[in-house]
Amino acid sequence: MSSDRLMRIHSAEFRAMAERVLRVTELTSRLNVLPFDDEAGKADLFTQILGKPLPPRVTIYPPFYTDHGLNLDLAERVFINQNCTFLDYAGIRLGERVMIGPKATFITSGHPVDPGERRLYLTGAPIDVAENVWIGAGATILPGVTIGRDAVVAAGAVVADDVPPASLVTGSKATVHRTWGSGEE
């Protein structure tokens, strides 16, 4: 799924994605109950989840969650702490030396805002995180975001817009941007 692309729910593409999600859910369930020191078991499961071995010096502390896995691109020396989630169907790239705090969430897909289309389509856009970025605990990175080199995303931040290089972003305030109808069906 590319930027600003709609995928019709119940299409052949959607069914293939849903089958992959079920397979990866089974694999991550197995990964997340392995003994912490079972390096060979973890390496084998990550290879199945990502479709290739982990790059050199990548550290991932389970529990670890992803819905697709094949579109999660990790560079060398990435560190991912416990309980992180990567919904990667539209693609997530993490540059070298990226550090991710516990419970961070990366989401590349969603649904249209329009209520009439919400149950008919998935939307998607990739996430691109440049080198040497630090994502704080509990941060949420939304579809289509690019985070520049050396940036810091504060703990708990919700990132819906691009982050310039060498900058700190904070906050999670939700604001009303538009309204429609009464919400009744």
Side-chain angles (χ1 to χ4, degrees), residues 39-64:
E39 296 300 327
K42 289 191 294 187
D44 177 57
L45 286 167
F46 275 121
T47 297
Q48 292 179 63
I49 291 165
L50 302 175
K52 59 188 174 232
L54 286 176
R57 299 187 347 199
V58 166
T59 301
I60 301 176
Y61 287 161
F64 169 86

Side-chain angles (χ1 to χ4, degrees), residues 11-170:
S11 66
E13 182 182 13
F14 180 85
R15 282 189 297 280
M17 186 227 17
E19 288 174 15
R20 177 68 187 167
V21 167
L22 290 176
R23 174 70 176 136
V24 171
T25 300
E26 185 265 327
L27 292 169
T28 57
S29 294
R30 289 176 38 208
L31 172 74
N32 292 334
V33 296
L34 283 178
F36 185 75
D37 62 353
D38 185 352
E39 296 300 327
K42 289 191 294 187
D44 177 57
L45 286 167
F46 275 121
T47 297
Q48 292 179 63
I49 291 165
L50 302 175
K52 59 188 174 232
L54 286 176
R57 299 187 347 199
V58 166
T59 301
I60 301 176
Y61 287 161
F64 169 86
Y65 303 96
T66 185
D67 66 340
H68 196 265
L70 298 177
N71 298 324
L72 181 54
D73 180 17
L74 306 174
E76 292 185 20
R77 297 174 56 189
V78 165
F79 174 83
I80 299 171
N81 213 322
Q82 301 177 73
N83 214 18
C84 291
T85 300
F86 297 86
L87 304 185
D88 68 301
Y89 189 71
I92 298 171
R93 186 190 77 82
L94 302 179
E96 287 189 23
R97 299 181 324 278
V98 166
M99 299 184 309
I100 301 174
K103 295 186 180 181
T105 302
F106 293 71
I107 302 170
T108 65
S109 58
H111 295 274
V113 172
D114 183 280
E117 295 182 348
R118 196 172 299 153
R119 296 185 190 277
L120 299 175
Y121 298 98
L122 288 180
T123 60
I127 294 170
D128 188 20
V129 181
E131 295 74 20
N132 204 40
V133 168
W134 176 19
I135 309 287
T140 300
I141 315 301
L142 297 176
V145 166
T146 295
I147 300 175
R149 182 184 180 98
D150 298 323
V152 176
V153 174
V158 177
V159 183
D161 298 311
D162 289 350
V163 176
S167 62
L168 168 66
V169 295
T170 66

